[in-house]
Amino acid sequence: MRSYTHEPIPTAGRIGEGYATSEQIPCLHLAIFVFTRYNKYQHLVKNMQVITAKLKLNPTAEQKEALREVSLAYRDALNYASQVAFDLNKTSSGNKLQKAVYNELRARFGLGAQMACNVPRQVSATYKSLWTKVKQNVTAIKAGHTKKLYKGLDKAPKYVSRTVTLNYQRDYSFKTEQRVSINTLNGRVVVPYEGYNKHLQLIANCAKIGAAKIVYQRSSKTYYLMVSLEIEAPTIEPTTITRISGVDVGQRYLAVEVDLQNKAKFYSGKAARHKADRYHKARKTLQRKGTRSAKRRLIALSGRERRFIADTNHQIAKQIAKPNSLIGLEDLTGIRDRTKSKSGKRASKKQRKANQNKAKWSFAELHGYIDYKANLVGSLATKVRAHYTSQSCVRCGHTSKANRPNKGLLFRCECCGFELHADLLGSRNIALRTLLVRQDWMSTGILSLSPNVSGNEAKAEILSRFSELRWSLDTSPHCICEPSGEQISGG
């Protein structure tokens, strides 16, 4: 991790001192993770955050067998309902599916009434997500981004893991002395549990408890109860935001963070990428072997790799989520379709390696962790447009692909000659765009979930506003630069 600090405090172009009016700043395309409303006349903010408490169950031999039976029956019920939904023209309607399978789930699998309702809901949610991917694939094919057909609905989805979805006060409830009552096929069992002290205190102090899920970990042969808890986070208002930062994610550096005081941090991905390469090689060897023991080893390896990525993302998110901050993140929706790269035999060895690294890391997971951790410390995470963040000069506003020679780590503006690390430049651009979000929030009093900015004119207006942002006071938004670097004042 490196620190980086120099240069003066940035400004938001010709927006001027203080805060801009709603007419000065166009409606920005945002995807705010937490919906918050601030009213100048009345405070209407109650910020709630949902977290998951992981409780380890310590059942007796008989109780463990009861949990095994109900989890296997629930899994079989999911697969049965999935096949029925597939036969019903791949329906994603929960009501339609429940009418078709409810009686069979009660009689054939022995599930309780609430569990028999949860099964079709879960299956319909799976089909809805698959239909969304099908529609996205059709759109991508029409736009020429890909030629591959999505095959997720060619056959009925199959459920493999032992999981049971439980409703609070119906399928499970908490007892005294750290015990939980869980409904099974043969009645309820009261099982002792243990967990993180903070989560145990939240449960004991009557936090709003939601649904839970029984999860079985095959490696340790242990059952866990994943409980949804809704807690009240610190109240967030625009006046309480004292820090604005931008976060750029990538492969060489998993994240680069910079705030408006010009304090930056680089979160190197070298060690993580090296370990991910080791997992990739081991997985490749086991897949070639193809034996039963190799497949068992593959399952264990996939779980270890997933936990390693999640742990690394947690550590980075914890350091980025500082109190009283508005954190800007890139909106990477459809980034794989927007950024075309050669693959297969057409790609060079270096390009194939880059494609492999790009597919390894879960940046959406990192964004999600930053979001909920920020909310717990009285901060907000917001998404801003990612267009041209690594090609726009923060000193003169010139935007061009030629500003990134050979697409390397060095940014060199062909207009004013300004040079900077490309990832740091991207995080600065994101921080400046986040500054506009905060000013819009202050002037209008409303932080919207996702304003509608469809259309080329709205997009052009927003990008034009972004091009006026400057990191320092030494240049004007209306300054015209020659390629030689000489500045000519605008008329």
Side-chain angles (χ1 to χ4, degrees):
M1 189 184 305
R2 296 190 292 148
S3 295
Y4 192 104
T5 173
H6 79 282
E7 294 192 1
I9 298 175
T11 60
R14 61 172 180 151
I15 290 175
E17 298 180 358
Y19 301 110
T21 63
S22 57
E23 289 79 18
Q24 286 177 297
I25 303 176
C27 196
L28 300 176
H29 174 64
L30 311 174
I32 309 298
F33 289 106
V34 183
F35 178 77
T36 309
R37 178 180 291 272
Y38 172 78
N39 192 301
K40 295 178 181 177
Y41 304 101
Q42 59 178 352
H43 296 272
L44 193 64
V45 179
K46 192 169 184 181
N47 196 8
M48 305 301 293
Q49 175 68 47
V50 178
I51 63 173
T52 301
K54 184 177 182 179
L55 306 178
K56 181 182 178 182
L57 300 179
N58 298 315
T60 63
E62 294 180 357
Q63 292 174 338
K64 193 169 186 178
E65 180 62 23
L67 293 175
R68 173 184 171 276
E69 290 177 357
V70 70
S71 61
L72 290 176
Y74 194 89
R75 184 185 67 181
D76 293 341
L78 287 172
N79 287 319
Y80 168 76
S82 177
Q83 186 61 51
V84 172
F86 187 82
D87 296 337
L88 292 174
N89 202 20
K90 306 172 186 177
T91 182
S92 61
S93 171
N95 291 334
K96 183 178 179 180
L97 185 59
Q98 181 170 331
K99 292 177 182 178
V101 301
Y102 179 81
N103 292 331
E104 189 70 15
L105 295 180
R106 296 295 307 275
R108 180 175 172 182
F109 300 100
L111 298 182
Q114 194 60 50
M115 289 186 188
C117 293
N118 289 337
V119 167
R121 289 174 191 163
Q122 185 173 341
V123 172
S124 65
T126 300
Y127 273 87
K128 284 178 183 177
S129 64
L130 292 176
W131 275 116
T132 300
K133 291 180 180 179
V134 169
K135 293 175 183 177
Q136 291 173 345
N137 178 246
V138 171
T139 304
I141 291 174
K142 288 182 179 179
H145 296 314
T146 183
K147 294 181 180 178
K148 294 182 179 179
L149 286 172
Y150 181 68
K151 299 181 179 180
L153 278 174
D154 286 1
K155 56 183 180 180
K158 186 176 181 181
Y159 297 86
V160 179
S161 302
R162 293 191 206 172
T163 60
V164 185
T165 301
L166 306 173
N167 285 37
Y168 185 56
Q169 299 291 18
R170 291 177 179 265
D171 299 317
Y172 83 103
S173 59
F174 287 102
K175 302 292 184 181
T176 57
E177 299 177 354
Q178 276 189 215
R179 297 177 303 158
V180 60
S181 174
I182 300 175
N183 194 17
T184 66
L185 299 181
N186 299 313
R188 286 182 172 266
V189 292
V190 179
V191 184
Y193 63 86
E194 58 186 80
Y196 182 39
N197 289 335
K198 187 175 181 180
H199 293 163
L200 298 180
Q201 291 174 5
L202 288 173
I203 293 172
N205 294 331
C206 300
K208 188 175 180 181
I209 301 173
K213 182 174 286 190
I214 296 176
V215 177
Y216 178 68
Q217 191 177 79
R218 290 205 293 182
S219 58
S220 60
K221 298 181 179 179
T222 306
Y223 284 96
Y224 291 91
L225 188 66
M226 315 297 286
V227 183
S228 173
L229 302 176
E230 187 175 349
I231 61 175
E232 187 171 347
T235 300
I236 301 173
E237 299 177 0
T239 53
T240 62
I241 298 296
T242 58
R243 179 178 176 274
I244 295 176
S245 65
V247 179
D248 179 79
V249 295
Q251 297 173 37
R252 189 179 297 268
Y253 294 99
L254 298 178
V256 177
E257 180 199 14
V258 66
D259 61 17
L260 297 187
Q261 301 302 320
N262 221 11
K263 296 179 180 178
K265 281 188 179 181
F266 288 72
Y267 299 88
S268 176
K270 184 177 180 181
R273 192 167 61 250
H274 174 69
K275 197 164 186 177
D277 287 340
R278 288 174 52 197
Y279 281 122
H280 176 75
K281 290 177 182 178
R283 188 166 57 248
K284 197 173 181 180
T285 302
L286 291 170
Q287 286 172 342
R288 284 177 177 172
K289 198 169 185 180
T291 60
R292 291 179 63 185
S293 60
K295 291 179 180 177
R296 286 196 299 270
R297 187 63 186 158
L298 269 172
I299 294 172
L301 194 68
S302 65
R304 188 180 302 171
E305 183 177 10
R306 185 174 62 254
R307 291 191 297 273
F308 163 70
I309 293 174
D311 180 63
T312 305
N313 284 337
H314 267 297
Q315 293 180 41
I316 295 173
K318 187 176 181 180
Q319 296 183 62
I320 290 175
K322 299 177 179 65
N324 303 322
S325 299
L326 183 61
I327 305 169
L329 307 172
E330 295 174 287
D331 184 4
L332 299 177
T333 304
I335 189 67
R336 295 183 190 274
D337 295 332
R338 295 201 306 267
T339 55
K340 294 182 180 179
S341 58
K342 292 182 180 180
S343 59
K345 295 181 179 179
R346 296 182 303 161
S348 63
K349 186 176 180 180
K350 184 178 180 181
Q351 181 65 60
R352 287 197 296 270
K353 183 73 173 177
N355 293 341
Q356 175 186 315
N357 289 333
K358 185 167 64 174
K360 279 177 185 174
W361 211 260
S362 175
F363 296 113
E365 182 182 68
L366 175 59
H367 281 180
Y369 289 165
I370 293 173
D371 165 42
Y372 94 82
K373 290 179 186 293
N375 200 28
L376 291 175
V377 294
S379 299
L380 273 179
T382 175
K383 283 190 175 180
V384 299
R385 279 186 176 269
H387 295 77
Y388 313 120
T389 52
S390 62
Q391 298 175 13
S392 299
C393 180
V394 293
R395 178 165 290 178
C396 71
H398 178 66
T399 302
S400 172
K401 289 183 179 180
N403 288 346
R404 291 282 300 276
N406 301 320
K407 297 182 179 180
L409 284 177
L410 177 65
F411 173 90
R412 183 186 294 116
C413 180
E414 62 177 1
C415 179
C416 68
F418 177 69
E419 292 186 358
L420 192 67
H421 191 288
D423 291 339
L424 179 58
L425 177 102
S427 60
R428 284 187 178 185
N429 275 315
I430 295 168
L432 288 174
R433 296 177 184 189
T434 309
L435 177 61
L436 282 183
V437 174
R438 197 231 187 191
Q439 290 179 340
D440 191 37
W441 186 10
M442 287 294 295
S443 61
T444 63
I446 296 175
L447 189 58
S448 177
L449 186 64
S450 55
N452 182 14
V453 291
S454 57
N456 294 330
E457 292 184 2
K459 179 181 176 181
E461 186 181 4
I462 292 170
L463 294 178
S464 174
R465 173 59 65 184
F466 288 162
S467 68
E468 296 178 359
L469 298 173
R470 298 292 180 272
W471 193 259
S472 61
L473 290 167
D474 57 358
T475 54
S476 165
H478 302 291
C479 173
I480 303 173
C481 293
E482 295 290 345
S484 61
E486 296 181 359
Q487 297 183 1
I488 304 174
S489 60

